[in-house]
Amino acid sequence: MKKNLKYEGKGKALYGTDVDGELIQVFKDDATAFDGKKHDTIAGKGALNCAISSLFFETLQDAGVKTHFIRRESACEMRIYELAMMPVEVVVRNIAAGSICKRLGLKEGLELERPLTELFYKDDALGDPMINTEHCELFGWATAEQIRDMRALARDVNGVMSKLLGDAGIRLVDFKLEFGLLNGAIVLGDEISPDGCRLWDMETGRKLDKDVFRQDLGGLSEVYHEVATRLGVPLA
Ligand code: 5GP
């Protein structure tokens, strides 16, 4: 049973439960971009993201990746273990797109020779600036060992998700992960949905992720629905 609201962000909310150490993560219908400057409510997005994220977490757990996922509780709700979240986002890139193109002058679509991991400091007011391991150690955000664990897990996640999506004809271009501590160990948290990934159709290059909303390319719920259907995700 859902109890007190513990956190509310742009795309989701966290509630306590009657079980100590377990939370309910609610996926909202809100879509935001450009640090909240663009905002819309898209009916059905929460349920689609909950369904897709649940499939990703189940597949990752079956592959041996430690995550906070317990089960999908209802259409828009997921039961998770409570983590002490790290203030660091890990982005994995297989193809250049988004901020790396702006930062380094790369052409969108450039295939990277190997997956690249990048670290960002989670701070909305600062616009989540890019950081490195030294910043994390110096400012106490994460130890070198924790960064190593997060990067290794992020690479494992990339392998599992690239295969799952690839089998559905979808290229995993890049994605963002968040991690936390459970009994002192680094565990994958947050959500993994088309809100935090770039997904391109393998044949046409058509965008199937939140860039559709960011770049006004069409209906967001239609493309999320397509991703769910192609992955064979149960939507109820
Ligand atoms: P970029 O650094 O190119 O803006 O983003 C890289 C990848 O991480 C993209 O798939 C993007 O959707 C995801 N990402 C980066 N920051 C955030 C964030 O604050 N929230 C979400 N949901 N995804 C993010």
Side-chain angles (χ1 to χ4, degrees):
M1 199 185 55
K2 216 160 67 205
K3 289 171 89 179
N4 54 312
L5 178 68
K6 290 210 159 200
Y7 162 88
E8 180 146 25
K10 288 170 272 186
K12 61 176 198 288
L14 294 178
Y15 292 84
T17 66
D18 39 16
V19 182
D20 211 28
E22 294 187 8
L23 303 178
I24 299 290
Q25 174 163 265
V26 180
F27 291 72
K28 304 199 305 185
D29 282 343
D30 299 68
T32 60
F34 313 116
D35 290 330
K37 285 184 202 85
K38 180 169 178 171
H39 179 264
D40 207 349
T41 303
I42 296 168
K45 182 173 93 73
L48 285 163
N49 275 349
C50 184
I52 295 169
S53 200
S54 296
L55 174 77
F56 286 150
F57 276 117
E58 280 161 10
T59 310
L60 288 166
Q61 285 195 329
D62 288 348
V65 177
K66 294 266 178 290
T67 84
H68 69 163
F69 180 78
I70 299 173
R71 63 175 175 270
R72 188 174 173 199
E73 192 86 355
S74 70
C76 298
E77 295 175 339
M78 183 186 279
R79 183 173 284 263
I80 57 173
Y81 291 114
E82 184 167 21
L83 307 181
M85 295 306 289
M86 311 296 293
V88 175
E89 297 182 345
V90 181
V91 167
V92 181
R93 299 181 192 274
N94 298 302
I95 295 178
S99 73
I100 196 172
C101 293
K102 283 207 201 94
R103 237 182 302 126
L104 304 181
L106 304 177
K107 196 169 169 340
E108 184 182 80
L110 176 77
E111 285 268 355
L112 305 182
E113 259 175 52
R114 56 174 179 273
L116 173 71
T117 59
E118 293 178 336
L119 305 175
F120 295 86
Y121 179 49
K122 251 180 86 69
D123 187 313
D124 280 344
L126 298 176
D128 297 346
M130 192 161 84
I131 51 171
N132 64 27
T133 308
E134 280 191 64
H135 293 107
C136 292
E137 288 190 277
L138 188 60
F139 300 117
W141 297 329
T143 65
E145 193 188 357
Q146 288 167 341
I147 300 286
R148 209 173 45 236
D149 288 351
M150 288 194 279
R151 285 196 145 117
L153 278 171
R155 292 206 161 87
D156 290 346
V157 171
N158 188 42
V160 173
M161 292 207 354
S162 291
K163 167 85 174 68
L164 181 72
L165 288 156
D167 288 347
I170 298 170
R171 186 72 210 267
L172 180 58
V173 172
D174 60 31
F175 58 98
K176 183 261 305 179
L177 298 177
E178 295 188 26
F179 295 89
L181 292 173
L182 184 63
N183 302 322
I186 291 283
V187 166
L188 180 62
D190 196 42
E191 63 173 297
I192 318 175
S193 71
D195 274 2
C197 302
R198 285 197 174 89
L199 307 172
W200 294 353
D201 182 87
M202 268 181 178
E203 287 201 351
T204 63
R206 194 162 53 91
K207 294 179 178 174
L208 301 168
D209 56 64
K210 205 164 119 184
D211 275 351
V212 169
F213 175 72
R214 294 187 190 103
Q215 301 171 6
D216 289 318
L217 298 177
L220 194 66
S221 64
E222 284 79 2
V223 294
Y224 283 20
H225 200 276
E226 180 179 338
V227 171
T229 307
R230 285 170 70 166
L231 287 169
V233 166
L235 289 174

